[in-house]
Amino acid sequence: MDDAPPGGGMILIGLLKYKFGRGMIIMLDNGEWWKASGLPWKARHFVNQRVVVHAVRVGFRSMDVVEIDGAPGDVPDR
């Protein structure tokens, strides 16, 4: 995912976590994390669950979330 240019759109599938008061998307395939700003209010329903995130990259491992939704599948304990 590091190949998406700043300002470019991207779609991520991962685990939504809150750490230190910030939303984070943890990629399930490689453990990479992305700082998620602009999470919509409905994101609170998806904490500790697998999600699909449509976002715009705003910096190094930072994104501005446009849309978030639940994703099917099992989530490992983390």
Side-chain angles (χ1 to χ4, degrees):
M1 275 304 146
D2 285 330
D3 57 349
M10 58 186 188
I11 299 173
L12 300 174
I13 298 175
L15 186 65
L16 175 63
K17 291 281 200 177
Y18 270 91
K19 293 187 179 188
F20 310 112
R22 295 181 181 203
M24 315 255 321
I25 306 297
I26 310 293
M27 305 297 292
L28 297 177
D29 55 352
N30 61 8
E32 183 177 285
W33 59 269
W34 283 80
K35 194 171 15 173
S37 60
L39 284 168
W41 182 248
K42 76 174 188 174
R44 72 188 190 286
H45 296 294
F46 300 119
V47 174
N48 297 322
Q49 294 184 27
R50 189 174 171 164
V51 292
V52 176
V53 178
H54 296 259
V56 175
R57 183 174 181 171
V58 293
F60 178 71
R61 290 195 179 170
S62 295
M63 64 178 150
D64 192 10
V65 175
V66 176
E67 183 179 338
I68 188 168
D69 217 342
D74 294 330
V75 176
D77 290 333
R78 289 197 179 201

